[in-house]
Amino acid sequence: MYRQVNDFLKDWSAAATGTAQVMQAMTDDKLDQSIVEGHSSLGWLSWHLVGATGYFSYLAGLQVPMISQDAPIPSTVAEIVAAYENVVKSVKEEAAKLSDEDLVEEVKGFTGPIARGELLRTLIDHQTHHRGQMTVLLRQAGLPVPGVMGPTKEMQ
């Protein structure tokens, strides 16, 4: 749980940079790469992170652009990355307006009331979870995996 806004902003910046690196490693022709047919693809996962960031932010009381749950997945990496960078910037701007006291305030969560700082921690954890899935799919697709948290096989 975050109790200081600057701690969240620091972690968000690092996590979002890593996620953007993973998204930028995708190629348009591999957006449909999935572990099994009909399950979460690179395109779906990356677009889900755009949408989920908006929804988590909404729950946290931040004014961040949201996409419709029914919005079609863009057909290009550039469109997905641009949308992601837009929500990342909005989260930074909106979170910077919060006070440390705002982080302990309870907001509506997925299963009931939750401290805003805890919800923001869950936002980062959710993103990290899906980013990990995406790195596996990048490798399966034969694409290079960026070193988000250290060197990857491709870097050694």
Side-chain angles (χ1 to χ4, degrees):
M1 171 163 155
Y2 291 103
R3 296 183 189 282
Q4 294 186 330
V5 173
N6 284 336
D7 290 341
F8 168 72
L9 290 171
K10 180 181 172 189
D11 284 355
W12 176 247
S13 184
T17 297
T19 299
Q21 289 173 335
V22 169
M23 288 182 181
Q24 291 162 352
M26 301 183 309
T27 59
D28 296 346
D29 63 320
K30 298 292 185 174
L31 287 176
D32 62 349
Q33 176 70 41
S34 61
I35 294 173
V36 296
E37 188 175 333
H39 194 57
S40 304
S41 66
L42 279 170
W44 185 89
L45 286 165
S46 57
W47 194 235
H48 170 67
L49 288 177
V50 173
T53 299
Y55 188 65
F56 271 91
S57 298
Y58 161 76
L59 292 175
L62 306 178
Q63 301 297 311
V64 171
M66 286 183 33
I67 59 169
S68 168
Q69 194 172 10
D70 300 330
I73 300 168
S75 59
T76 69
V77 172
E79 291 174 274
I80 294 169
V81 169
Y84 180 72
E85 289 173 345
N86 186 39
V87 296
V88 165
K89 180 182 174 198
S90 293
V91 169
K92 286 179 185 178
E93 290 171 351
E94 287 292 308
K97 297 175 186 176
L98 296 172
S99 68
D100 292 343
E101 293 77 26
D102 290 332
L103 296 178
V104 296
E105 181 182 17
E106 286 196 343
V107 295
K108 178 184 173 189
F110 293 99
T111 59
I114 185 172
R116 182 178 280 114
E118 187 174 351
L119 182 64
L120 292 173
R121 177 73 244 170
T122 304
L123 164 62
I124 291 178
D125 291 345
H126 175 260
Q127 178 175 251
T128 303
H129 164 70
H130 288 308
R131 185 177 66 223
Q133 292 175 317
M134 292 170 68
T135 62
V136 171
L137 293 177
L138 286 173
R139 185 157 285 124
Q140 287 181 337
L143 299 171
V145 177
V148 174
M149 309 248 347
T152 63
K153 176 183 171 187
E154 294 82 358
M155 298 172 146
Q156 296 177 359

